[in-house]
């Protein structure tokens, strides 16, 4: 297939390279020109702009930071909806607010462009290993058309409901991930402050009911205070905002999500925005008057 790929960052670059490797003709665009060069080196085409990436594409994928960038690339004049042929399938894989995904789907309907929201979980490693979990909102027939393309970048690919539903599932994912990081951070602080070896304690937790993928993958790096991203606190701060806005929209109270959102916001305010989200440990340490190790 002929694919346009817009947003070649931490996630988009390896995803676009996997699509090239799967035999697709990929034209990629990013505001950072070096990202286009990297795609060219991987066998793709560096497009000169959004319209160039979209020209003649059967499928356009966007992997952008947040809703303002998605609105700019998709809805603005000269953007995807303006320049794509009727019948093109737009798959937005960015994590954004559900209502923006719904608004895009409505705007696209008039232009006869098909749209899916398809945010991902699995992080940079998942993108590099083509093992992402992908939660897809939109029409069933569009999901069926997208599945062979998504299979080149993901392993678990699930149609979760109508437009916006993929983003709601992603918001639920992020509140659980943030909550578990916060609790693992509290466990480490308690263990260390009590004179118990944190690594040994967490080994036991990982084998019992408290075990989780986060404990499995991240307990050692947290105990070692290795906070290179990964997934940045800044992006998780955005995602907690999306989760709280979705909760408000759905008229539900999510008190733990509210608390975790404040801890993430504190991490950002303390200057840890560009560290991995496991750096919530530094926030929890400071709440107890403990001096976090320099990273
Ligand atoms: P990133 O900042 O590394 O990449 C985004 C890219 O979009 C950048 O290269 C940027 O230059 C480009 N961009 C911004 N505005 C643009 C525009 N107008 N036109 C063209 N390109 C533009 O971010 P990322 O880590 O790749 O994340 C992308 C999305 O995936 C985010 O919504 C994030 O929340 C989500 N996500 C990230 C991870 C992760 O571990 N990094 C995991 C799951 C989901």
């Amino acid at each position: 297939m002929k694919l346009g790929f817009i947003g070649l960052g931490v996630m988009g670059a390896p995803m676009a390279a996997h699509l090239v490797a799967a035999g697709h003709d990929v034209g990629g665009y990013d505001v950072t020109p070096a990202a286009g060069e990297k795609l060219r080196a991987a066998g793709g085409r560096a497009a000169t702009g959004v319209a160039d990436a979209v020209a003649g594409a059967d499928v356009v994928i966007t992997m952008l930071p947040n809703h303002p960038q998605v609105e700019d690339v998709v809805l603005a004049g000269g953007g995807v909806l303006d320049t794509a042929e009727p019948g093109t399938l737009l798959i937005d894989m960015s994590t954004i607010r559900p209502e923006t995904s719904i608004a895009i789907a409505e705007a696209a309907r008039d232009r006869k462009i098909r749209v899916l929201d398809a945010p991902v979980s699995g992080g940079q490693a998942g993108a590099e290993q083509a093992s992402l979990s992908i939660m897809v909102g939109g029409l069933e027939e569009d999901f069926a058309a997208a599945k062979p393309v998504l299979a080149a970048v993901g392993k678990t690919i699930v149609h979760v409901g109508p437009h916006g539903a993929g983003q709601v599932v992603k918001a639920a994912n992020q509140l659980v991930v943030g909550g578990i990081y916060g609790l693992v951070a509290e466990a480490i602080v308690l263990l260390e402050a009590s004179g118990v070896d944190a690594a040994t304690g967490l080994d036991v937790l990982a084998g019992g009911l408290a075990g989780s993928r986060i404990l499995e993958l991240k307990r050692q790096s947290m105990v070692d205070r290795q906070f290179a991203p990964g997934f940045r606190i800044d992006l998780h701060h955005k995602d907690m905002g999306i989760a709280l806005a979705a909760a408000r929209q759905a008229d539900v109270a999510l008190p733990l999500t509210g608390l975790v959102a404040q801890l993430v916001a504190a991490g950002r305010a303390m200057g840890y925005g560009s560290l991995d989200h496991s750096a919530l440990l530094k926030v929890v340490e400071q709440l107890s008057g403990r001096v976090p190790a320099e990273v």
Side-chain angles (χ1 to χ4, degrees):
M1 277 194 207
K2 195 162 169 8
L3 308 182
F5 201 114
I6 302 164
L8 302 166
V10 170
M11 300 295 284
M15 291 165 72
H18 283 303
L19 290 162
V20 172
H24 298 292
D25 171 3
V26 183
Y29 173 66
D30 193 291
V31 281
T32 309
E37 288 312 312
K38 225 169 112 189
L39 176 63
R40 200 207 307 270
R45 184 176 65 86
T48 55
V50 172
D52 185 31
V54 165
D58 307 295
V59 174
V60 175
I61 296 175
T62 44
M63 192 50 165
L64 296 157
N66 198 0
H67 67 94
Q69 293 81 17
V70 173
E71 286 163 357
D72 189 37
V73 166
V74 174
L75 297 176
V80 177
L81 296 191
D82 221 14
T83 56
E85 296 292 328
T88 305
L89 176 59
L90 166 63
I91 310 174
D92 178 32
M93 304 189 75
S94 328
T95 302
I96 60 168
R97 322 185 286 205
E99 70 253 40
T100 304
S101 298
I102 294 166
I104 286 173
E106 277 165 9
R109 198 174 302 131
D110 298 339
R111 300 262 309 119
K112 302 210 171 354
I113 291 167
R114 303 176 292 156
V115 174
L116 295 169
D117 48 294
V120 308
S121 167
Q124 185 175 3
E128 286 169 352
Q129 293 156 16
S131 62
L132 294 167
S133 287
I134 310 177
M135 34 227 119
V136 187
L139 300 181
E140 182 69 50
E141 61 262 34
D142 296 337
F143 173 70
K147 205 161 175 198
V149 176
L150 296 177
V153 296
K155 280 218 175 92
T156 305
I157 304 163
V158 183
H159 183 219
V160 294
H163 296 298
Q167 299 296 354
V168 176
V169 174
K170 175 68 184 181
N173 183 80
Q174 292 306 80
L175 72 87
V176 171
V177 168
I180 293 174
Y181 270 117
L183 287 173
V184 172
E186 292 189 4
I188 291 172
V189 168
L190 174 65
L191 290 165
E192 290 180 347
S194 309
V196 178
D197 182 68
T200 307
L202 292 185
D203 283 348
V204 185
L205 264 67
L209 188 58
S212 70
R213 194 127 172 82
I214 287 172
L215 263 186
E216 193 187 309
L217 294 176
K218 301 286 274 204
R219 67 181 188 273
Q220 194 58 51
S221 61
M222 288 178 76
V223 170
D224 292 344
R225 273 57 175 184
Q226 297 296 320
F227 298 128
F231 187 73
R232 296 190 307 277
I233 288 225
D234 278 345
L235 283 176
H236 213 130
H237 178 68
K238 168 201 60 142
D239 292 353
M240 295 310 292
I242 292 171
L244 288 174
R248 179 172 280 252
Q249 186 89 17
D251 259 328
V252 294
L254 304 181
L256 292 177
T257 302
L259 180 56
V260 173
Q262 294 306 306
L263 290 174
V264 175
R268 188 173 146 88
M270 289 172 180
Y272 307 143
S274 58
L275 298 183
D276 188 71
H277 47 175
S278 54
L280 267 186
L281 176 54
K282 287 164 77 72
V283 177
V284 175
E285 281 181 304
Q286 268 158 282
L287 287 175
S288 292
R290 297 172 70 81
V291 180
E294 280 306 312
V295 289

